[in-house]
Amino acid sequence: MELQLKKTALSRSWILLDKDGTGTILDVDKYAIMRMVEIHARDLRILDPLLSYPSAILGREKVIVLNLEHIKAIITAQEVLLRDPMDDDILPIVEEFRRRLPKSTGDEEPSAQDREGGGEGQDNEFPFEFRALEVALEAICSFLDARTIELETAAYPALDELTSQISSRNLDRVRKLKSAMTRLTNRVQKIRDELENLLDDDDDMADLYLSKKLANLSSPASSFGAPNWLLSSPNPDSKIHRSSKASTATSVQVENDVEDLEMLLEAYFTQIDGTLNKLNTLREYIDDTEDYINIQLDSHRNQLIQLELFLSSGTVCLSIYSLVGAIFGMNIPYTWKDGHGYMFKWVVMLGGMVSASLFLSIVTYARRKGLVGS
């Protein structure tokens, strides 16, 4: 039983897409994938959906390891391995791969001069791995942007409703939306940071140029940066001169190799950065709404304090009035009570006037000191 569970965990469904867009479903374990594309286990572990690894675009000797949210793929110079092709979120991406991977201009690779010159078919002039990477980046950027739009559509009306009516239902609704926004912001931020780190390092971008590395491996002479006559130069300074020229040539070559990829990554970096700006704007709107609600609650709290002050003042004044009534209501025989029954109404009137005057004095003092509103 344990062996069967282990085999199920190792076995995952993949789809193999070649340059013609033809797809083949593969139900193999990770060891078969490692032998097929010559990849290390630590790189394949990044693509395990059961493990929580951050988004990454890694360039290896013969493959590109792509882990972008639900898009987990291995890109070579001639084919793409995409994980879990039957997933609802992956099916549209598979169709997009089939539509855009085949080259509409033929099977011939474009020359470097054609790529530098540009033209109407610039998208098809990219190497295969760049086209595959473009499809994956466009898919993840569109996916996150769609999730952001859905969140905005639900959040703004909920926040407006909360400002008009503060209730437990509206507060719980906004709390859930804020949690969803925080999670989505972290996901978008990880994609943006990965693209930014990739753009800041030319060597990492050069590692993604699989076609160029494959061409260099097939032609050994191209791996030497200097001609043969430089290698046999008798001048002792020629080694330093050769090293300087080789370093300069390598730097120029790397810049030329990554120029197209840099433009591609820059475009999607701008798109994902725009999505992040939308989320930041939504966060600011939520913060403003929270500040407004806190101001409203403070205002209500102040009104309750004022009401408490009025009630306390009235209680004190009525206590004094009750004290007068209690004194005259005692059943103690006094000689001065005989024949003075007409004084009852004057005591009642005078006690009421004193209590009312004391209450008005307290309220006036509170208003003058700014303790209550005018």
Side-chain angles (χ1 to χ4, degrees):
M1 183 66 179
E2 294 179 358
L3 182 61
Q4 184 178 0
L5 292 175
K6 184 177 180 181
K7 184 178 180 180
T8 304
L10 294 178
S11 178
R12 286 285 178 173
S13 178
W14 296 76
I15 185 171
L16 178 64
L17 298 165
D18 56 16
K19 286 187 175 183
D20 297 330
T22 305
T24 303
I25 300 295
L26 303 177
D27 192 8
V28 296
D29 57 17
K30 65 178 183 180
Y31 302 108
I33 297 296
M34 291 168 56
R35 292 191 299 267
M36 184 184 303
V37 296
E38 299 181 14
I39 189 174
H40 293 290
R42 61 177 179 270
D43 295 328
L44 192 59
R45 192 184 306 119
I46 299 176
L47 305 181
D48 194 339
L50 301 179
L51 302 177
S52 178
Y53 278 93
S55 298
I57 302 175
L58 305 178
R60 294 297 183 250
E61 184 65 27
K62 295 182 180 181
V63 299
I64 298 174
V65 181
L66 202 63
N67 179 28
L68 300 175
E69 293 287 326
H70 56 281
I71 303 177
K72 303 180 184 298
I74 300 174
I75 302 174
T76 68
Q78 297 179 349
E79 56 194 13
V80 177
L81 274 168
L82 193 61
R83 190 158 200 168
D84 298 332
M86 296 292 103
D87 188 83
D88 292 338
D89 293 328
I90 301 298
L91 283 175
I93 303 174
V94 173
E95 295 300 324
E96 191 69 14
F97 270 118
R98 287 175 172 172
R99 186 180 67 86
R100 296 176 57 177
L101 286 183
K103 301 179 67 173
S104 60
T105 57
D107 295 332
E108 297 180 357
E109 287 288 339
S111 63
Q113 183 178 1
D114 293 336
R115 287 197 300 270
E116 292 175 0
E120 296 180 356
Q122 187 174 2
D123 290 340
N124 288 322
E125 292 175 357
F126 283 150
F128 174 82
E129 63 271 16
F130 286 3
R131 299 201 307 274
L133 181 62
E134 181 181 11
V135 173
L137 289 175
E138 181 177 346
I140 192 61
C141 290
S142 301
F143 176 80
L144 293 176
D145 189 64
R147 300 290 84 76
T148 301
I149 293 175
E150 291 178 1
L151 185 61
E152 287 179 330
T153 304
Y156 284 115
L159 292 171
D160 294 337
E161 185 178 355
L162 181 61
T163 55
S164 61
Q165 181 182 3
I166 302 176
S167 62
S168 300
R169 173 180 171 273
N170 291 336
L171 286 173
D172 185 67
R173 182 183 176 189
V174 171
R175 178 188 62 82
K176 293 178 180 179
L177 290 172
K178 185 176 181 180
S179 300
M181 183 207 65
T182 302
R183 291 192 298 269
L184 183 59
T185 301
N186 293 334
R187 294 163 60 187
V188 174
Q189 185 68 49
K190 290 177 181 178
I191 301 292
R192 182 189 179 278
D193 291 343
E194 181 63 24
L195 290 177
E196 185 177 13
N197 294 334
L198 201 58
L199 285 168
D200 290 339
D201 197 328
D202 288 347
D203 292 334
D204 288 345
M205 286 191 289
D207 287 339
L208 303 182
Y209 206 155
L210 304 180
S211 300
K212 185 68 176 179
K213 291 191 291 185
L214 187 62
N216 290 339
L217 291 176
S218 61
S219 56
S222 62
S223 61
F224 295 95
N228 292 331
W229 61 270
L230 280 177
L231 299 177
S232 59
S233 174
N235 188 356
D237 295 334
S238 62
K239 293 183 178 180
I240 300 177
H241 183 64
R242 182 170 66 249
S243 176
S244 176
K245 291 188 68 176
S247 176
T248 303
T250 303
S251 176
V252 173
Q253 183 64 29
V254 168
E255 290 181 0
N256 292 334
D257 289 346
V258 303
E259 183 178 355
D260 293 339
L261 179 59
E262 185 176 6
M263 293 176 60
L264 174 65
L265 295 177
E266 190 70 37
Y268 291 105
F269 175 80
T270 303
Q271 183 176 349
I272 202 70
D273 192 59
T275 303
L276 185 61
N277 289 335
K278 291 181 182 179
L279 292 172
N280 289 333
T281 302
L282 180 58
R283 178 183 293 275
E284 292 176 358
Y285 193 83
I286 292 177
D287 293 338
D288 293 341
T289 303
E290 289 179 350
D291 294 339
Y292 177 76
I293 291 174
N294 290 331
I295 292 173
Q296 279 190 329
L297 294 177
D298 290 341
S299 178
H300 293 162
R301 193 178 298 111
N302 292 336
Q303 291 177 1
L304 291 175
I305 293 174
Q306 293 179 16
L307 179 60
E308 183 181 3
L309 176 62
F310 289 149
L311 292 177
S312 301
S313 302
T315 302
V316 171
C317 296
L318 288 178
S319 299
I320 297 175
Y321 188 67
S322 299
L323 177 62
V324 175
I327 293 175
F328 283 92
M330 291 182 182
N331 294 324
I332 301 176
Y334 292 106
T335 56
W336 53 270
K337 293 172 59 178
D338 299 336
H340 297 84
Y342 62 91
M343 292 296 296
F344 174 77
K345 61 179 180 180
W346 293 107
V347 171
V348 172
M349 293 173 58
L350 184 60
M353 292 175 61
V354 171
S355 299
S357 299
L358 181 61
F359 179 76
L360 293 176
S361 300
I362 294 174
V363 172
T364 303
Y365 177 79
R367 291 183 184 275
R368 185 176 300 176
K369 294 297 183 179
L371 299 178
V372 296
S374 56

PDB file of all heavy atoms in Angstrom, residues 292-319:
ATOM      1  N   TYR A 292     -11.357  56.265   7.474  1.00  0.00           N
ATOM      2  CA  TYR A 292     -12.668  56.920   7.521  1.00  0.00           C
ATOM      3  C   TYR A 292     -13.584  56.236   8.536  1.00  0.00           C
ATOM      4  O   TYR A 292     -14.293  56.906   9.304  1.00  0.00           O
ATOM      5  CB  TYR A 292     -13.294  56.886   6.128  1.00  0.00           C
ATOM      6  CG  TYR A 292     -14.692  57.473   6.059  1.00  0.00           C
ATOM      7  CD1 TYR A 292     -14.893  58.847   6.083  1.00  0.00           C
ATOM      8  CD2 TYR A 292     -15.812  56.648   5.977  1.00  0.00           C
ATOM      9  CE1 TYR A 292     -16.174  59.391   6.020  1.00  0.00           C
ATOM     10  CE2 TYR A 292     -17.084  57.172   5.921  1.00  0.00           C
ATOM     11  CZ  TYR A 292     -17.255  58.545   5.941  1.00  0.00           C
ATOM     12  OH  TYR A 292     -18.522  59.075   5.890  1.00  0.00           O
ATOM     13  N   ILE A 293     -13.558  54.905   8.575  1.00  0.00           N
ATOM     14  CA  ILE A 293     -14.395  54.168   9.532  1.00  0.00           C
ATOM     15  C   ILE A 293     -13.942  54.449  10.964  1.00  0.00           C
ATOM     16  O   ILE A 293     -14.765  54.629  11.873  1.00  0.00           O
ATOM     17  CB  ILE A 293     -14.342  52.665   9.217  1.00  0.00           C
ATOM     18  CG1 ILE A 293     -15.068  52.383   7.898  1.00  0.00           C
ATOM     19  CG2 ILE A 293     -14.972  51.849  10.338  1.00  0.00           C
ATOM     20  CD1 ILE A 293     -14.952  50.960   7.441  1.00  0.00           C
ATOM     21  N   ASN A 294     -12.636  54.514  11.176  1.00  0.00           N
ATOM     22  CA  ASN A 294     -12.130  54.831  12.514  1.00  0.00           C
ATOM     23  C   ASN A 294     -12.553  56.230  12.948  1.00  0.00           C
ATOM     24  O   ASN A 294     -12.875  56.451  14.127  1.00  0.00           O
ATOM     25  CB  ASN A 294     -10.602  54.715  12.539  1.00  0.00           C
ATOM     26  CG  ASN A 294     -10.128  53.282  12.431  1.00  0.00           C
ATOM     27  OD1 ASN A 294     -10.822  52.357  12.856  1.00  0.00           O
ATOM     28  ND2 ASN A 294      -8.957  53.081  11.854  1.00  0.00           N
ATOM     29  N   ILE A 295     -12.566  57.168  12.009  1.00  0.00           N
ATOM     30  CA  ILE A 295     -13.027  58.524  12.342  1.00  0.00           C
ATOM     31  C   ILE A 295     -14.506  58.497  12.708  1.00  0.00           C
ATOM     32  O   ILE A 295     -14.945  59.154  13.679  1.00  0.00           O
ATOM     33  CB  ILE A 295     -12.757  59.470  11.154  1.00  0.00           C
ATOM     34  CG1 ILE A 295     -11.256  59.681  10.962  1.00  0.00           C
ATOM     35  CG2 ILE A 295     -13.450  60.806  11.368  1.00  0.00           C
ATOM     36  CD1 ILE A 295     -10.899  60.464   9.722  1.00  0.00           C
ATOM     37  N   GLN A 296     -15.291  57.732  11.936  1.00  0.00           N
ATOM     38  CA  GLN A 296     -16.705  57.604  12.263  1.00  0.00           C
ATOM     39  C   GLN A 296     -16.915  56.981  13.641  1.00  0.00           C
ATOM     40  O   GLN A 296     -17.742  57.445  14.438  1.00  0.00           O
ATOM     41  CB  GLN A 296     -17.420  56.770  11.202  1.00  0.00           C
ATOM     42  CG  GLN A 296     -17.793  57.535   9.938  1.00  0.00           C
ATOM     43  CD  GLN A 296     -18.703  56.714   9.046  1.00  0.00           C
ATOM     44  OE1 GLN A 296     -18.623  55.487   9.020  1.00  0.00           O
ATOM     45  NE2 GLN A 296     -19.569  57.379   8.317  1.00  0.00           N
ATOM     46  N   LEU A 297     -16.182  55.937  13.936  1.00  0.00           N
ATOM     47  CA  LEU A 297     -16.314  55.285  15.246  1.00  0.00           C
ATOM     48  C   LEU A 297     -15.891  56.220  16.373  1.00  0.00           C
ATOM     49  O   LEU A 297     -16.513  56.234  17.448  1.00  0.00           O
ATOM     50  CB  LEU A 297     -15.480  54.010  15.271  1.00  0.00           C
ATOM     51  CG  LEU A 297     -15.943  52.884  14.327  1.00  0.00           C
ATOM     52  CD1 LEU A 297     -14.979  51.709  14.399  1.00  0.00           C
ATOM     53  CD2 LEU A 297     -17.355  52.432  14.669  1.00  0.00           C
ATOM     54  N   ASP A 298     -14.828  56.991  16.144  1.00  0.00           N
ATOM     55  CA  ASP A 298     -14.411  57.971  17.158  1.00  0.00           C
ATOM     56  C   ASP A 298     -15.492  59.021  17.379  1.00  0.00           C
ATOM     57  O   ASP A 298     -15.737  59.445  18.521  1.00  0.00           O
ATOM     58  CB  ASP A 298     -13.108  58.638  16.724  1.00  0.00           C
ATOM     59  CG  ASP A 298     -11.923  57.681  16.775  1.00  0.00           C
ATOM     60  OD1 ASP A 298     -12.034  56.656  17.475  1.00  0.00           O
ATOM     61  OD2 ASP A 298     -10.917  57.950  16.094  1.00  0.00           O
ATOM     62  N   SER A 299     -16.131  59.433  16.280  1.00  0.00           N
ATOM     63  CA  SER A 299     -17.214  60.413  16.423  1.00  0.00           C
ATOM     64  C   SER A 299     -18.378  59.846  17.214  1.00  0.00           C
ATOM     65  O   SER A 299     -18.930  60.513  18.103  1.00  0.00           O
ATOM     66  CB  SER A 299     -17.687  60.856  15.033  1.00  0.00           C
ATOM     67  OG  SER A 299     -18.776  61.765  15.129  1.00  0.00           O
ATOM     68  N   HIS A 300     -18.746  58.609  16.928  1.00  0.00           N
ATOM     69  CA  HIS A 300     -19.832  57.975  17.693  1.00  0.00           C
ATOM     70  C   HIS A 300     -19.441  57.787  19.156  1.00  0.00           C
ATOM     71  O   HIS A 300     -20.281  57.970  20.058  1.00  0.00           O
ATOM     72  CB  HIS A 300     -20.181  56.625  17.067  1.00  0.00           C
ATOM     73  CG  HIS A 300     -20.794  56.742  15.704  1.00  0.00           C
ATOM     74  ND1 HIS A 300     -20.848  55.687  14.816  1.00  0.00           N
ATOM     75  CD2 HIS A 300     -21.372  57.786  15.069  1.00  0.00           C
ATOM     76  CE1 HIS A 300     -21.439  56.074  13.701  1.00  0.00           C
ATOM     77  NE2 HIS A 300     -21.761  57.350  13.829  1.00  0.00           N
ATOM     78  N   ARG A 301     -18.189  57.461  19.371  1.00  0.00           N
ATOM     79  CA  ARG A 301     -17.720  57.294  20.746  1.00  0.00           C
ATOM     80  C   ARG A 301     -17.777  58.618  21.507  1.00  0.00           C
ATOM     81  O   ARG A 301     -18.159  58.660  22.690  1.00  0.00           O
ATOM     82  CB  ARG A 301     -16.292  56.743  20.731  1.00  0.00           C
ATOM     83  CG  ARG A 301     -15.805  56.245  22.081  1.00  0.00           C
ATOM     84  CD  ARG A 301     -14.405  55.666  21.970  1.00  0.00           C
ATOM     85  NE  ARG A 301     -14.360  54.521  21.077  1.00  0.00           N
ATOM     86  CZ  ARG A 301     -13.761  54.519  19.896  1.00  0.00           C
ATOM     87  NH1 ARG A 301     -13.168  55.611  19.450  1.00  0.00           N
ATOM     88  NH2 ARG A 301     -13.762  53.436  19.139  1.00  0.00           N
ATOM     89  N   ASN A 302     -17.427  59.690  20.838  1.00  0.00           N
ATOM     90  CA  ASN A 302     -17.511  61.009  21.472  1.00  0.00           C
ATOM     91  C   ASN A 302     -18.958  61.387  21.780  1.00  0.00           C
ATOM     92  O   ASN A 302     -19.246  62.002  22.823  1.00  0.00           O
ATOM     93  CB  ASN A 302     -16.872  62.067  20.574  1.00  0.00           C
ATOM     94  CG  ASN A 302     -15.374  61.896  20.455  1.00  0.00           C
ATOM     95  OD1 ASN A 302     -14.738  61.313  21.341  1.00  0.00           O
ATOM     96  ND2 ASN A 302     -14.798  62.382  19.367  1.00  0.00           N
ATOM     97  N   GLN A 303     -19.863  61.034  20.890  1.00  0.00           N
ATOM     98  CA  GLN A 303     -21.280  61.319  21.141  1.00  0.00           C
ATOM     99  C   GLN A 303     -21.787  60.541  22.356  1.00  0.00           C
ATOM    100  O   GLN A 303     -22.567  61.063  23.159  1.00  0.00           O
ATOM    101  CB  GLN A 303     -22.100  60.974  19.899  1.00  0.00           C
ATOM    102  CG  GLN A 303     -21.849  61.898  18.716  1.00  0.00           C
ATOM    103  CD  GLN A 303     -22.630  61.480  17.483  1.00  0.00           C
ATOM    104  OE1 GLN A 303     -23.373  60.493  17.518  1.00  0.00           O
ATOM    105  NE2 GLN A 303     -22.459  62.219  16.394  1.00  0.00           N
ATOM    106  N   LEU A 304     -21.338  59.295  22.500  1.00  0.00           N
ATOM    107  CA  LEU A 304     -21.727  58.515  23.673  1.00  0.00           C
ATOM    108  C   LEU A 304     -21.155  59.119  24.955  1.00  0.00           C
ATOM    109  O   LEU A 304     -21.820  59.125  26.007  1.00  0.00           O
ATOM    110  CB  LEU A 304     -21.253  57.067  23.517  1.00  0.00           C
ATOM    111  CG  LEU A 304     -21.952  56.236  22.431  1.00  0.00           C
ATOM    112  CD1 LEU A 304     -21.300  54.866  22.318  1.00  0.00           C
ATOM    113  CD2 LEU A 304     -23.441  56.101  22.740  1.00  0.00           C
ATOM    114  N   ILE A 305     -19.943  59.639  24.884  1.00  0.00           N
ATOM    115  CA  ILE A 305     -19.339  60.275  26.059  1.00  0.00           C
ATOM    116  C   ILE A 305     -20.125  61.530  26.444  1.00  0.00           C
ATOM    117  O   ILE A 305     -20.357  61.810  27.642  1.00  0.00           O
ATOM    118  CB  ILE A 305     -17.858  60.600  25.780  1.00  0.00           C
ATOM    119  CG1 ILE A 305     -17.063  59.297  25.628  1.00  0.00           C
ATOM    120  CG2 ILE A 305     -17.266  61.463  26.883  1.00  0.00           C
ATOM    121  CD1 ILE A 305     -15.619  59.514  25.214  1.00  0.00           C
ATOM    122  N   GLN A 306     -20.558  62.292  25.426  1.00  0.00           N
ATOM    123  CA  GLN A 306     -21.369  63.479  25.705  1.00  0.00           C
ATOM    124  C   GLN A 306     -22.694  63.099  26.356  1.00  0.00           C
ATOM    125  O   GLN A 306     -23.141  63.741  27.325  1.00  0.00           O
ATOM    126  CB  GLN A 306     -21.613  64.252  24.402  1.00  0.00           C
ATOM    127  CG  GLN A 306     -20.380  64.871  23.797  1.00  0.00           C
ATOM    128  CD  GLN A 306     -20.670  65.599  22.490  1.00  0.00           C
ATOM    129  OE1 GLN A 306     -21.828  65.890  22.200  1.00  0.00           O
ATOM    130  NE2 GLN A 306     -19.637  65.898  21.723  1.00  0.00           N
ATOM    131  N   LEU A 307     -23.310  62.051  25.825  1.00  0.00           N
ATOM    132  CA  LEU A 307     -24.567  61.606  26.412  1.00  0.00           C
ATOM    133  C   LEU A 307     -24.369  61.145  27.854  1.00  0.00           C
ATOM    134  O   LEU A 307     -25.189  61.442  28.737  1.00  0.00           O
ATOM    135  CB  LEU A 307     -25.142  60.469  25.566  1.00  0.00           C
ATOM    136  CG  LEU A 307     -26.456  59.844  26.048  1.00  0.00           C
ATOM    137  CD1 LEU A 307     -27.568  60.895  26.102  1.00  0.00           C
ATOM    138  CD2 LEU A 307     -26.857  58.681  25.157  1.00  0.00           C
ATOM    139  N   GLU A 308     -23.271  60.463  28.098  1.00  0.00           N
ATOM    140  CA  GLU A 308     -22.971  60.026  29.459  1.00  0.00           C
ATOM    141  C   GLU A 308     -22.758  61.218  30.389  1.00  0.00           C
ATOM    142  O   GLU A 308     -23.178  61.204  31.557  1.00  0.00           O
ATOM    143  CB  GLU A 308     -21.727  59.129  29.442  1.00  0.00           C
ATOM    144  CG  GLU A 308     -21.373  58.549  30.797  1.00  0.00           C
ATOM    145  CD  GLU A 308     -20.131  57.690  30.752  1.00  0.00           C
ATOM    146  OE1 GLU A 308     -19.526  57.597  29.665  1.00  0.00           O
ATOM    147  OE2 GLU A 308     -19.783  57.116  31.807  1.00  0.00           O
ATOM    148  N   LEU A 309     -22.116  62.282  29.875  1.00  0.00           N
ATOM    149  CA  LEU A 309     -21.919  63.488  30.679  1.00  0.00           C
ATOM    150  C   LEU A 309     -23.243  64.137  31.038  1.00  0.00           C
ATOM    151  O   LEU A 309     -23.466  64.541  32.192  1.00  0.00           O
ATOM    152  CB  LEU A 309     -21.021  64.472  29.910  1.00  0.00           C
ATOM    153  CG  LEU A 309     -20.790  65.838  30.565  1.00  0.00           C
ATOM    154  CD1 LEU A 309     -20.095  65.682  31.910  1.00  0.00           C
ATOM    155  CD2 LEU A 309     -19.977  66.744  29.638  1.00  0.00           C
ATOM    156  N   PHE A 310     -24.159  64.221  30.063  1.00  0.00           N
ATOM    157  CA  PHE A 310     -25.462  64.819  30.329  1.00  0.00           C
ATOM    158  C   PHE A 310     -26.241  63.994  31.365  1.00  0.00           C
ATOM    159  O   PHE A 310     -26.854  64.555  32.295  1.00  0.00           O
ATOM    160  CB  PHE A 310     -26.275  64.925  29.037  1.00  0.00           C
ATOM    161  CG  PHE A 310     -25.747  65.966  28.087  1.00  0.00           C
ATOM    162  CD1 PHE A 310     -25.879  65.803  26.710  1.00  0.00           C
ATOM    163  CD2 PHE A 310     -25.117  67.103  28.553  1.00  0.00           C
ATOM    164  CE1 PHE A 310     -25.399  66.757  25.833  1.00  0.00           C
ATOM    165  CE2 PHE A 310     -24.631  68.071  27.676  1.00  0.00           C
ATOM    166  CZ  PHE A 310     -24.763  67.897  26.318  1.00  0.00           C
ATOM    167  N   LEU A 311     -26.212  62.686  31.201  1.00  0.00           N
ATOM    168  CA  LEU A 311     -26.945  61.832  32.139  1.00  0.00           C
ATOM    169  C   LEU A 311     -26.353  61.912  33.544  1.00  0.00           C
ATOM    170  O   LEU A 311     -27.086  61.942  34.547  1.00  0.00           O
ATOM    171  CB  LEU A 311     -26.926  60.384  31.637  1.00  0.00           C
ATOM    172  CG  LEU A 311     -27.712  60.112  30.346  1.00  0.00           C
ATOM    173  CD1 LEU A 311     -27.552  58.658  29.932  1.00  0.00           C
ATOM    174  CD2 LEU A 311     -29.188  60.453  30.515  1.00  0.00           C
ATOM    175  N   SER A 312     -25.035  61.960  33.633  1.00  0.00           N
ATOM    176  CA  SER A 312     -24.398  62.067  34.955  1.00  0.00           C
ATOM    177  C   SER A 312     -24.725  63.406  35.618  1.00  0.00           C
ATOM    178  O   SER A 312     -24.999  63.460  36.835  1.00  0.00           O
ATOM    179  CB  SER A 312     -22.879  61.909  34.820  1.00  0.00           C
ATOM    180  OG  SER A 312     -22.544  60.655  34.253  1.00  0.00           O
ATOM    181  N   SER A 313     -24.708  64.479  34.812  1.00  0.00           N
ATOM    182  CA  SER A 313     -25.044  65.792  35.361  1.00  0.00           C
ATOM    183  C   SER A 313     -26.492  65.829  35.839  1.00  0.00           C
ATOM    184  O   SER A 313     -26.792  66.353  36.925  1.00  0.00           O
ATOM    185  CB  SER A 313     -24.808  66.879  34.297  1.00  0.00           C
ATOM    186  OG  SER A 313     -23.469  66.874  33.845  1.00  0.00           O
ATOM    187  N   GLY A 314     -27.386  65.285  35.038  1.00  0.00           N
ATOM    188  CA  GLY A 314     -28.793  65.243  35.444  1.00  0.00           C
ATOM    189  C   GLY A 314     -29.000  64.406  36.694  1.00  0.00           C
ATOM    190  O   GLY A 314     -29.814  64.751  37.568  1.00  0.00           O
ATOM    191  N   THR A 315     -28.234  63.309  36.798  1.00  0.00           N
ATOM    192  CA  THR A 315     -28.358  62.464  37.987  1.00  0.00           C
ATOM    193  C   THR A 315     -27.918  63.205  39.243  1.00  0.00           C
ATOM    194  O   THR A 315     -28.553  63.112  40.318  1.00  0.00           O
ATOM    195  CB  THR A 315     -27.520  61.188  37.801  1.00  0.00           C
ATOM    196  OG1 THR A 315     -27.968  60.495  36.621  1.00  0.00           O
ATOM    197  CG2 THR A 315     -27.655  60.280  38.998  1.00  0.00           C
ATOM    198  N   VAL A 316     -26.824  63.957  39.139  1.00  0.00           N
ATOM    199  CA  VAL A 316     -26.342  64.733  40.295  1.00  0.00           C
ATOM    200  C   VAL A 316     -27.384  65.784  40.722  1.00  0.00           C
ATOM    201  O   VAL A 316     -27.679  65.951  41.922  1.00  0.00           O
ATOM    202  CB  VAL A 316     -24.991  65.401  39.955  1.00  0.00           C
ATOM    203  CG1 VAL A 316     -24.588  66.391  41.058  1.00  0.00           C
ATOM    204  CG2 VAL A 316     -23.921  64.346  39.763  1.00  0.00           C
ATOM    205  N   CYS A 317     -27.950  66.475  39.744  1.00  0.00           N
ATOM    206  CA  CYS A 317     -28.940  67.516  40.071  1.00  0.00           C
ATOM    207  C   CYS A 317     -30.204  66.915  40.689  1.00  0.00           C
ATOM    208  O   CYS A 317     -30.764  67.453  41.662  1.00  0.00           O
ATOM    209  CB  CYS A 317     -29.292  68.304  38.813  1.00  0.00           C
ATOM    210  SG  CYS A 317     -27.905  69.232  38.109  1.00  0.00           S
ATOM    211  N   LEU A 318     -30.661  65.809  40.158  1.00  0.00           N
ATOM    212  CA  LEU A 318     -31.836  65.155  40.739  1.00  0.00           C
ATOM    213  C   LEU A 318     -31.535  64.590  42.126  1.00  0.00           C
ATOM    214  O   LEU A 318     -32.425  64.527  42.994  1.00  0.00           O
ATOM    215  CB  LEU A 318     -32.310  64.036  39.814  1.00  0.00           C
ATOM    216  CG  LEU A 318     -32.976  64.484  38.502  1.00  0.00           C
ATOM    217  CD1 LEU A 318     -33.347  63.268  37.660  1.00  0.00           C
ATOM    218  CD2 LEU A 318     -34.228  65.322  38.778  1.00  0.00           C
ATOM    219  N   SER A 319     -30.286  64.215  42.356  1.00  0.00           N
ATOM    220  CA  SER A 319     -29.921  63.727  43.689  1.00  0.00           C
ATOM    221  C   SER A 319     -30.031  64.838  44.721  1.00  0.00           C
ATOM    222  O   SER A 319     -30.499  64.623  45.854  1.00  0.00           O
ATOM    223  CB  SER A 319     -28.490  63.169  43.669  1.00  0.00           C
ATOM    224  OG  SER A 319     -28.392  62.082  42.779  1.00  0.00           O
TER     225      SER A 319
END
